[in-house]
Amino acid sequence: MPVQILGARLIDPASGRDEVTDIFLQDGKVVAIGQAPDGYEAATSIDARGLVAAPGLVDLSVALREPGYSRKGSIASETLAATAGGVTSLCCPPQTRPVLDTPAVAELILDRARESGHAKVYPIGALTRELAGEQLAELVSLRDAGCVAFGNGLREFANSRNLRRALEYAATFDLTVVFHSQDADLAEGGLAHEGPVASFLGLAGIPETAETLALARNLLLVEQAGVRAHFTQLTSARGVQMIADAQARGLPVTADVAMYQLILTEDALQGFSSLYHVQPPLRSHADREALREAVRQGVVSAISSHHQPHEVDAKDAPFGATEPGISSVEILLPLALTLVQDGLLDLPTLLARLGSGPAAALNLPAGRLAEGMPADLVLFDPASSTLVGESWLSKGRNCPFLGHCLPGAVRYTLVDGRISYRR
């Protein structure tokens, strides 16, 4: 269905374009910008004066909870929630039940995503069977079934030799490996960042070295294997410095950070609210400032929600007995706009970290708003605001930002030229 968008401020960081113009969509593509093609007749017209038109956001970590965890969420509910946050393309991690380690599970997820018709879904397959860190999963078959990268979550390999062989195999087929770098032994039993706050509250700590020790090993093995690697959910100042050093040496590595890690610190745990229980944990103010600077400089090229919806019972217990994770994908753009409000990033740079950056990290066909590209875009009002929770679509309400007023408001999200979300 032909759709024309009139008078929007188009920002496409990939091409450097920033101008007020009209956009014309047809057959799922952007067919023209500025001037309508000859004979073009729009079936739908959107008055976008005062709105920003940007490439649809690309989120590299959204737990859809399906199959296996229907109480927490479903592909239909969480992809719809994603579009409310301006997300048109998302990657789902392999921690499903059964684990995403066979083509059958990947095909099930993709079929359900197509049926729901909201955001585009790109599965991240399990690197090892059952995420056990021992036997490799069917990587090539998973790739052929639609998996765009492979990871093992926070589950460590049985030994470094197994990991080395896995990386060498992945390199042979030019596959991307996603690392959650956290040493299981150092993190065991931990609930919070090891420091004064955890000591004052009596919570078992997870030291920064749980991240940096694992990160050092992973970077060395990545260099030896020559594999493309993406380091996800970094939390520490030393961690992002290690990534910067690796990039300076020419290693093919990228990184992302959770949006909430750019806003919250360990101080949020003072009230023992389980809504702030996450893994890896919220860290110090100095760590947060280093993460922000790494995002500004482009060392960290992607900001992701790391959305993990939970049922009420999962968070309704003493802090240490609750399940970690925050539900936040449907407020990804408003949360991110606080970085512009704080003066850390300008709007085009922020949109690059939410679109073209993550798309490039995993080589996804997304993150651009240009003629001939898929018509995946978000229209938002930067002068308006969003009251979090006023309309909530995710099954998981485990969000510490409920009731907050955030800058900006998503008005429309279009996927393949079709309006997938309208506020």
Side-chain angles (χ1 to χ4, degrees):
M1 180 174 69
V3 177
Q4 62 181 7
I5 300 168
L6 305 178
R9 178 188 172 190
L10 187 158
I11 301 178
D12 179 33
S15 64
R17 196 165 192 166
D18 186 348
E19 62 182 295
V20 175
T21 188
D22 302 331
I23 307 167
F24 302 92
L25 317 177
Q26 189 168 1
D27 298 328
K29 303 283 187 182
V30 178
V31 293
I33 294 174
Q35 187 72 34
D38 292 340
Y40 183 88
E41 292 186 11
T44 301
S45 182
I46 297 174
D47 182 354
R49 287 173 295 180
L51 302 183
V52 172
L57 308 192
V58 180
D59 195 331
L60 297 182
S61 184
V62 177
L64 300 177
R65 301 305 196 191
E66 188 180 356
Y69 299 97
S70 58
R71 290 190 67 199
K72 299 178 183 293
S74 67
I75 290 171
S77 68
E78 305 316 302
T79 54
L80 179 59
T83 61
V87 176
T88 57
S89 298
L90 61 89
C91 295
C92 59
Q95 293 95 320
T96 51
R97 190 171 58 195
V99 169
L100 209 173
D101 60 0
T102 65
V105 179
E107 289 164 2
L108 170 66
I109 291 171
L110 290 171
D111 286 344
R112 294 281 173 83
R114 282 188 287 266
E115 288 169 7
S116 66
H118 302 308
K120 295 177 178 177
V121 173
Y122 297 94
I124 294 176
L127 190 57
T128 60
R129 294 181 183 176
E130 296 294 325
L131 298 173
E134 296 179 354
Q135 294 180 305
L136 276 180
E138 305 169 39
L139 301 189
V140 174
S141 296
L142 284 165
R143 179 201 63 188
D144 294 343
C147 291
V148 295
F150 301 89
N152 229 51
L154 287 171
R155 300 277 297 276
E156 283 206 324
F157 270 69
N159 57 60
S160 296
R161 181 179 59 189
N162 287 358
L163 176 56
R164 175 189 171 184
R165 289 174 175 171
L167 298 183
E168 289 172 344
Y169 183 84
T172 300
F173 292 95
D174 197 28
L175 307 177
T176 301
V177 176
V178 177
F179 286 96
H180 288 74
S181 296
Q182 181 165 281
D183 183 272
D185 293 330
L186 288 174
E188 186 177 5
L191 297 169
H193 171 60
E194 185 177 275
V197 173
S199 297
F200 177 76
L201 297 175
L203 296 173
I206 299 177
E208 169 202 271
T209 47
E211 175 167 290
T212 54
L213 182 65
L215 189 56
R217 179 192 71 164
N218 294 340
L219 283 169
L220 287 169
L221 291 176
V222 163
E223 186 169 18
Q224 182 173 39
V227 70
R228 285 188 289 113
H230 179 75
F231 290 84
T232 188
Q233 218 167 350
L234 295 179
T235 66
S236 70
R238 289 182 65 189
V240 292
Q241 184 58 55
M242 292 168 72
I243 293 295
D245 293 343
Q247 292 172 344
R249 296 201 313 273
L251 293 189
V253 298
T254 54
D256 76 62
V257 63
M259 183 64 237
Y260 56 77
Q261 292 280 5
L262 299 174
I263 298 175
L264 303 171
T265 69
E266 59 183 340
D267 292 333
L269 274 58
Q270 295 282 0
F272 287 102
S273 171
S274 63
L275 294 176
Y276 299 101
H277 180 197
V278 294
Q279 287 284 353
L282 300 173
R283 297 205 182 270
S284 69
H285 182 270
D287 287 313
R288 185 192 68 176
E289 294 311 298
L291 293 176
R292 285 180 161 218
E293 182 62 17
V295 168
R296 189 186 69 80
Q297 293 181 357
V299 171
V300 172
S301 59
I303 300 172
S304 303
S305 69
H306 288 278
H307 173 73
Q308 292 182 289
H310 288 296
E311 74 279 19
V312 173
D313 293 350
K315 290 288 189 180
D316 189 17
F319 190 93
T322 59
E323 296 185 48
I326 289 176
S327 173
S328 62
V329 69
E330 66 189 275
I331 52 170
L332 178 58
L333 183 55
L335 274 179
L337 286 170
T338 62
L339 303 180
V340 175
Q341 190 178 65
D342 293 347
L344 177 69
L345 303 174
D346 59 30
L347 186 53
T349 303
L350 175 69
L351 293 173
R353 302 293 183 266
L354 294 168
S356 56
L362 296 190
N363 197 27
L364 304 178
R368 291 192 60 199
L369 182 51
E371 291 180 12
M373 294 297 294
D376 300 337
L377 63 143
V378 57
L379 291 166
F380 66 94
D381 184 351
S384 187
S385 60
T386 296
L387 179 61
V388 182
E390 187 176 38
S391 174
W392 196 253
L393 300 172
S394 170
K395 278 193 175 184
R397 294 186 63 85
N398 52 303
C399 178
F401 303 104
L402 287 173
H404 290 219
C405 191
L406 300 175
V410 174
R411 298 299 184 193
Y412 297 87
T413 302
L414 291 87
V415 177
D416 285 334
R418 175 183 46 81
I419 298 174
S420 187
Y421 171 81
R422 183 201 312 257
R423 182 174 179 181

